[in-house]
């Protein structure tokens, strides 16, 4: 599972509002015209920095006008004159924001970051003006109160209910003074989370480990050395080797470099990001964010921010989340404890007597893995050229759902490294556009995510098909090798592709209902990871980059054998971050806490192992302070309960069983958020999910304390 992933849920600031015709404007901005590009993909080549601000401002103005017209409508409120037009309002703003949000994550620059800071308070105010408008809420409420007498379809009933709830949760029932407080908090929060992300990007880009002696490269595979040499050359340091905090650089370094001191240094740089007492320090920002969220929750009538958030999730309450985390924590600690012992033994075997430290873990885990399973990541990489892996994901989608991916060179792209595909359904009809952007750049934030440049919806009876993008930070090709992926990167590619399919297959009417609960959204993504490593699938796509020979059975068997290896580490590092997230969002007081002391106390309380660093320390925990996963980082493991259980259905009936695939598509992938998440799951599986397959998969079954 991919804890690094984020999906861009926040592309449109007000998810409730989208759609409605825009009058053409005389101004010569690409945003004020209809896009005549293939499938209406944004004309990236013509969109310049200076186009964003005026277009966002105009979008805000238009949405205000549309919403004001709904609020002051002369006729009695109905579903057709209140709820539907609210869903459709704000089309221009969404059009601009999709491009703006997408580029700000994948190809940003200082100017875009500046614009983001300028518009954040405007967007926050727009949202509050809508949700806190008394006349508008009055009309929404009147329709809601008649709901049992209205002749509405299931999706319409859901839209009505969700719209009403969004107003209430947005503060519509508060008194004037509390509304004022809420506005202030929202405005401040919108800026703080931006600053958090900006600081992190700056801190990540600021660090360089420059090596000028070959002996310091000992242990590193040739691919990592070649990539570091090219990075150095690009930075004007020809003849040296440059390592960075980007994923394809730091993780191989920590897994292979013999030089223990350099391993310590690069990990320290990574874990100190946002905590360097400089202008990019995130500690005060994050404490303030947590405090403001707690204060807002109080105003809205919830004990904590987690209560506020979880009400909308499958987990429902903090107790539900802590319950699952605690159920897994002790067994995971026990497994990780055993792993630590075997790493310590390996250190001894190699003739050292130091005590295992966090900067040793990956390195010695790799050595144990090689000794125990004869599985060498580097040898493996040769069978995973990026191109093949992507084709492998396409193959799975074809076998499951009959989809076809046709590469198009006439589709506009925002960077030469982006590739574009038209996605066709089994009957050849157009389903959507799929863009992929796979390598790190300084203007791209860390991690991997799936985003949308246009969401699916029905407009004026016409099915508007989506434009979806997968953005990752994978190993680059070098001068004499294609990009060769590690196993984790392979799984990430399938994971993000799964999110992509979820968006591409959507068949809903109202765009406001696209959103699904966060602890459900990782089901469509994580389930795809299961196919990636199935022997039957590996045989199809995993081919040696030079000889084209399919991966040998022997290697496939070794991959299978090693699947539970190091799962204690992975589970502990992840669960610790989930606890930390929950702890930050179950504070009930609205005053800022000392970030480091709080984090320390939180980790101590859970008895965190000193040999493992929490997956994200607070000052660079972007998911929760700048990415929409607040009180939501647990979602990955929650969804993993679902995906492990759901995949069993395929294992039982056949990996590509058509009836099972069709049911998964119709009941889950096409439904968006139009049906309650648990209900969708039960329609597919015929029962509630079981936690057993997850325990089995992670090797946690039957574990007791050491
Ligand atoms: Zn994901």
């Amino acid at each position: 599972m991919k804890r690094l992933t984020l999906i861009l849920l926040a592309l449109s600031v007000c998810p409730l509002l989208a759609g409605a015709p825009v009058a053409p404007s005389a101004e010569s901005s690409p945003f004020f015209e209809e896009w005549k590009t293939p499938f209406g993909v944004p004309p990236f080549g013509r969109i310049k920095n200076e186009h964003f601000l005026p277009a966002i401002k105009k979008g805000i103005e238009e949405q205000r006008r549309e919403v004001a017209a709904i609020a002051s409508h002369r006729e009695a409120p109905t579903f057709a004159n209140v709820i539907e037009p609210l869903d459709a309002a704000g089309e221009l703003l969404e059009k601009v924001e999709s491009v703006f949000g997408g580029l700000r994550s994948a190809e940003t620059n200082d100017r875009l970051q500046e614009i983001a800071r300028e518009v954040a308070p405007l967007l926050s105010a727009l949202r509050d003006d809508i949700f806190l408008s008394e006349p508008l809420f009055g009309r929404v409420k009147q329709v809601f109160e008649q709901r049992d007498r209205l002749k509405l379809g299931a999706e319409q009933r859901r839209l009505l209910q969700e719209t009403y709830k969004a107003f209430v949760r947005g503060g519509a029932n508060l008194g004037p003074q509390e509304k004022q407080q809420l506005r202030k908090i929202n405005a401040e929060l919108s800026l703080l989370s931006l600053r958090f992300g900006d600081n992190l990007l700056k801190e990540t880009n600021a660090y360089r480990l420059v090596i000028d002696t070959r002996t310091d490269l000992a242990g590193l595979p040739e691919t990592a050395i070649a990539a570091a040499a090219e990075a150095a050359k690009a930075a004007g340091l020809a003849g040296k080797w440059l390592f960075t905090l980007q994923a394809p650089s730091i993780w191989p370094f920590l897994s292979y470099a013999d030089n223990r001191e350099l391993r310590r240094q690069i990990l320290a740089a990574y874990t100190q990001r946002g905590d360097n007492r400089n202008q990019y320090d995130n500690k005060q920002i994050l404490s303030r964010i947590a405090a403001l969220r707690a204060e807002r929750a109080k105003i809205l009538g919830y004990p904590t921010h987690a209560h506020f958030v979880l009400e909308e999730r499958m987990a429902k309450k903090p107790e539900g989340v802590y319950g699952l985390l605690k159920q897994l924590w002790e067994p995971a600690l026990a497994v990780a404890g055993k792993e630590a012992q075997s790493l310590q033994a390996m250190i001894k075997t190699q003739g050292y007597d130091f005590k295992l430290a966090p900067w040793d873990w990956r390195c010695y885990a790799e050595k144990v893995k090689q000794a125990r399973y004869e599985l060498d990541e580097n040898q493996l990489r040769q069978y995973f050229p990026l191109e093949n892996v992507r084709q492998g994901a396409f193959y799975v989608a074809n076998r499951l759902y009959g989809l076809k991916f046709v590469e198009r060179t006439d589709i506009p792209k925002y960077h030469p490294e982006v590739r574009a595909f038209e996605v066709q359904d089994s009957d050849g009809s157009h389903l959507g556009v799929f863009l992929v952007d796979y390598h790190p750049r300084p203007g791209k934030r860390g991690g991997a995510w799936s985003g949308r440049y246009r969401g699916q919806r029905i407009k004026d009876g016409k099915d508007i098909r989506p434009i979806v993008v997968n953005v990752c930070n994978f190993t680059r090709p070098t001068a004499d090798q294609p990009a060769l992926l590690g196993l984790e990167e392979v799984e990430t590619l399938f994971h993000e592709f799964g999110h992509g399919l979820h968006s591409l297959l959507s068949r809903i009417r109202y765009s406001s209902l696209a959103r699904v609960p966060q602890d459900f959204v990782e089901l469509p993504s994580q389930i795809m990871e299961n196919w990636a490593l199935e022997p039957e699938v590996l045989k199809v796509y995993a081919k040696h980059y030079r000889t084209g020979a399919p991966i040998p059975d022997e290697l496939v068997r070794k991959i299978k054998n090693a699947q539970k290896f190091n799962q204690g580490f992975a589970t502990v590092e992840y669960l610790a971050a989930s606890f930390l997230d929950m702890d930050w969002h179950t504070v009930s007081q609205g005053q800022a806490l000392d970030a480091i002391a709080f984090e320390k106390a939180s980790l101590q309380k859970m008895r965190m192992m000193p040999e493992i660093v929490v997956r994200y320390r607070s000052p660079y925990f972007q998911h929760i302070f700048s990415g929409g996963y607040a009180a939501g980082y647990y979602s990955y493991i929650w969804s993993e309960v679902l995906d492990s259980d759901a995949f069993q259905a395929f294992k039982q009936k056949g990996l590509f069983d058509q009836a099972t695939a069709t049911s998964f598509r119709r009941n889950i992938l096409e439904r968006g958020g139009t049906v309650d998440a648990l209900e969708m799951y039960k329609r597919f599986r015929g029962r509630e999910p079981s936690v057993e397959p997850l325990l089995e998969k992670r090797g946690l079954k039957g574990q007791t304390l050491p």
Side-chain angles (χ1 to χ4, degrees), residues 2 5-7 495-496 499 522 525 629 636:
K2 298 283 93 48
T5 54
L6 275 173
I7 70 158
H495 177 109
E496 299 310 333
H499 283 308
E522 301 298 335
S525 53
Y629 274 68
Y636 294 96

Side-chain angles (χ1 to χ4, degrees), residues 154-188:
E155 200 170 333
Q156 292 174 318
R157 261 205 316 278
R158 179 96 176 163
L159 179 68
L160 174 56
Q161 179 199 321
E162 293 297 304
T163 306
Y164 176 75
K165 212 165 57 182
F167 273 85
V168 173
R169 287 173 56 80
N173 276 327
L174 299 176
Q177 211 183 336
E178 291 164 314
K179 281 184 176 171
Q180 207 43 42
Q181 271 176 288
L182 196 69
R183 283 174 185 278
K184 270 178 67 185
I185 292 174
N186 287 339
E188 190 177 346

Side-chain angles (χ1 to χ4, degrees), residues 7 41 70 76 221 255 303 325 419 428 430 472 581 624 645:
I7 70 158
V41 170
I70 300 167
S255 301
L325 298 180
R419 291 175 69 177
H430 175 79
C472 305
D581 165 32
I624 67 167
D645 185 60

Side-chain angles (χ1 to χ4, degrees), residues 74-222:
R74 281 159 192 275
E75 289 162 33
T78 63
F79 185 82
N81 72 22
V82 178
I83 308 300
E84 270 185 335
L86 259 181
D87 173 71
E91 192 176 37
L92 173 62
L93 186 57
E94 194 192 77
K95 179 177 172 181
V96 189
E97 278 234 282
S98 300
V99 179
F100 186 63
L103 295 185
R104 216 166 55 71
S105 303
E107 187 60 16
T108 194
N109 54 55
D110 286 345
R111 181 60 192 135
L112 285 191
Q113 304 299 100
E114 238 173 76
I115 296 170
R117 284 191 292 273
E118 191 170 341
V119 300
L122 306 180
L123 292 168
S124 171
L126 169 70
R127 195 188 141 89
D128 284 338
D129 289 344
I130 293 170
F131 285 136
L132 302 177
S133 152
E134 275 175 34
L136 184 60
F137 180 56
R139 290 178 70 82
V140 169
K141 199 172 170 185
Q142 281 186 57
V143 182
F144 182 72
E145 281 164 355
Q146 306 161 22
R147 64 193 176 281
D148 292 334
R149 276 174 280 132
L150 303 174
K151 286 196 175 59
L152 300 177
E155 200 170 333
Q156 292 174 318
R157 261 205 316 278
R158 179 96 176 163
L159 179 68
L160 174 56
Q161 179 199 321
E162 293 297 304
T163 306
Y164 176 75
K165 212 165 57 182
F167 273 85
V168 173
R169 287 173 56 80
N173 276 327
L174 299 176
Q177 211 183 336
E178 291 164 314
K179 281 184 176 171
Q180 207 43 42
Q181 271 176 288
L182 196 69
R183 283 174 185 278
K184 270 178 67 185
I185 292 174
N186 287 339
E188 190 177 346
L189 275 174
S190 70
L191 278 172
L192 287 172
S193 66
L194 268 180
R195 269 183 61 202
F196 186 96
D198 286 2
N199 286 346
L200 180 55
L201 188 64
K202 290 273 193 313
E203 287 271 278
T204 305
N205 286 339
Y207 177 81
R208 307 196 306 182
L209 170 64
V210 180
I211 291 184
D212 46 21
T213 347
R214 223 175 201 286
T215 47
D216 285 338
L217 300 168
L220 287 168
E222 277 310 317

